[in-house]
Amino acid sequence: MDIATLKSDFYKRFDTSDNMLITEKCGMLCTLLGFCHIRGAMALSTSLSMGVTGVCRRLGGDLIKITNTRSPAFLTYYAHEFPFGKKPCGAQLLLDNAIPGYIESATETKVCALKCIMRLNAPEGFDKISAAAMCCGRDNIKPYLALLEARRGYAVVSHKLTCSLVPLPLTGFKFILIQFETKKKTEDFSAVEQALNILSARFPYVSTFADLNDEVLRFGAPLIKNRRTIARLGYLVNETKRISCAVTALRAMHTEDLFDIINESAAEYEQLWGVSEGIRTLLAFARICDGVRASRPLANGIICIADEDMSDHITRSFCEQLKYRFDSSIRFCISN
């Protein structure tokens, strides 16, 4: 929905007034390397142009009313519950979610609403860690922080409670999401998290996955019974190294090196994390499809970085080659 239509919808729901409307956007979180959703693991991510857009205005009093274009229902909150300054104000907020329904987008929706509310109440800036902690509830805080830090043309390196920006020079390229229509079940990382607790008890300087290294795994392997879990811990160690290499490549504007690193990561992930046969087939075809530079699993499918002028060719090729391979239909989204 374009901004003009979104504002028109806003006035139909909230009536007109002289208060100025402001807009905020939160792009869909796209993990390039690592894991945004494993606590303590490093990640390299970016936000896509496709995402959630919010239109809001200041409202007298303490009440915050939130609704979205897909529903007539309202959610209500109180401004004093947010980490504002001394004089919090209420707000009226309308959200438009352009992320397809078969991709989980609760994090992006919450962050967009938070950015709108915080802009009204803290235009000079706010504590992003406190805001993200309030927004995420029991979820991992890292995706929320990454989305709050995200900027156009940059990738976000997430490590513990810190985020840093590195250039992401992808002019002339597009992101192509190729997804099955059903939502993917949440991955279970409990085995590697339990293994980390065991290693932390033996090696006090290891508190997160980013602290692991080859030496710790070599001496700590006898403490962990499951060989697959040990191999997955090795993958996380390799991801930390790959993120470091990717940051170096991006700062030097070596985009091709980034593509190679992403493909290497995806190949190892495919072997160790048990992706579905459907995703395995998508990855296999992406590796031989003209115009696709890099691909990796994302949600219930894959995401590709592709030459911009080859986007139509790529979607046609996938449809022609794979249309009879799956019981569930696949969908394409192209984004910057």
Side-chain angles (χ1 to χ4, degrees):
M1 185 181 294
D2 61 69
I3 292 296
T5 306
L6 186 58
K7 288 182 177 180
S8 176
D9 192 1
F10 181 94
Y11 288 126
K12 290 177 183 177
R13 295 166 185 262
F14 292 111
D15 70 47
T16 58
S17 81
D18 294 333
N19 288 350
M20 181 180 67
L21 291 183
I22 66 168
T23 61
E24 282 286 349
K25 185 166 184 177
C26 178
M28 176 183 161
L29 184 66
C30 172
T31 304
L32 302 176
L33 291 168
F35 292 90
C36 276
H37 293 87
I38 298 184
R39 288 177 172 85
M42 287 189 70
L44 180 72
S45 61
T46 188
S47 63
L48 306 183
S49 59
M50 173 181 65
V52 183
T53 304
V55 177
C56 68
R57 71 180 172 197
R58 188 181 300 271
L59 182 68
D62 193 41
L63 192 65
I64 296 174
K65 298 183 68 176
I66 303 175
T67 187
N68 66 78
T69 55
R70 299 179 181 178
S71 168
F74 288 86
L75 294 175
T76 57
Y77 300 91
Y78 292 97
H80 67 260
E81 297 174 345
F82 291 78
F84 300 143
K86 296 181 179 179
K87 296 181 179 180
C89 72
Q92 295 169 327
L93 171 59
L94 175 63
L95 299 173
D96 178 50
N97 190 344
I99 301 173
Y102 47 84
I103 298 177
E104 183 60 49
S105 57
T107 302
E108 288 83 354
T109 303
K110 291 179 183 179
V111 171
C112 184
L114 179 68
K115 289 173 70 175
C116 288
I117 296 168
M118 298 302 281
R119 183 172 168 188
L120 286 176
N121 284 276
E124 71 285 349
F126 56 91
D127 182 353
K128 293 179 181 177
I129 294 178
S130 297
M134 179 206 65
C135 189
C136 72
R138 294 189 176 186
D139 295 340
N140 184 3
I141 193 175
K142 191 164 54 178
Y144 294 82
L145 276 176
L147 286 170
L148 286 172
E149 292 285 357
R151 285 174 54 189
R152 185 79 173 175
Y154 288 84
V156 181
V157 181
S158 304
H159 180 214
K160 298 182 181 178
L161 291 179
T162 63
C163 292
S164 58
L165 297 174
V166 292
L168 186 63
L170 292 180
T171 303
F173 299 97
K174 292 279 190 181
F175 289 93
I176 303 178
L177 283 83
I178 306 171
Q179 300 286 314
F180 295 102
E181 274 199 306
T182 54
K183 284 187 178 180
K184 182 182 180 182
K185 293 181 180 179
T186 303
E187 289 182 273
D188 184 8
F189 300 116
S190 58
V192 291
E193 289 171 344
Q194 290 171 8
L196 177 66
N197 292 334
I198 293 172
L199 294 175
S200 297
R202 176 64 178 82
F203 305 96
Y205 55 88
V206 175
S207 60
T208 69
F209 290 106
D211 298 325
L212 292 175
N213 55 45
D214 294 325
E215 184 178 3
V216 170
L217 289 187
R218 185 167 65 251
F219 288 105
L223 303 173
I224 302 168
K225 306 301 182 183
N226 190 296
R227 290 185 178 181
R228 178 172 286 274
T229 299
I230 296 171
R232 289 179 174 179
L233 290 172
Y235 173 80
L236 291 171
V237 171
N238 292 337
E239 280 294 90
T240 301
K241 297 176 184 177
R242 280 190 279 259
I243 290 170
S244 178
C245 293
V247 169
T248 301
L250 288 173
R251 286 176 174 160
M253 301 296 176
H254 294 164
T255 311
E256 294 294 335
D257 291 345
L258 172 67
F259 298 156
D260 292 340
I261 294 169
I262 291 174
N263 288 328
E264 177 187 302
S265 169
E268 187 177 355
Y269 178 89
E270 183 181 353
Q271 292 178 352
L272 295 176
W273 292 84
V275 299
S276 68
E277 188 60 34
I279 294 178
R280 197 182 301 275
T281 302
L282 293 178
L283 284 171
F285 186 70
R287 292 182 183 120
I288 62 173
C289 184
D290 290 339
V292 175
R293 299 301 191 92
S295 60
R296 64 169 282 143
L298 182 73
N300 194 27
I302 66 172
I303 187 164
C304 303
I305 303 177
D307 294 322
E308 184 174 11
D309 57 357
M310 296 287 283
S311 298
D312 292 339
H313 162 77
I314 291 167
T315 55
R316 284 197 306 270
S317 297
F318 268 88
C319 287
E320 292 170 0
Q321 295 294 324
L322 304 177
K323 60 184 176 181
Y324 300 118
R325 297 288 296 273
F326 308 115
D327 295 331
S328 175
S329 58
I330 56 176
R331 293 290 181 263
F332 300 89
C333 292
I334 300 176
S335 181
N336 293 319

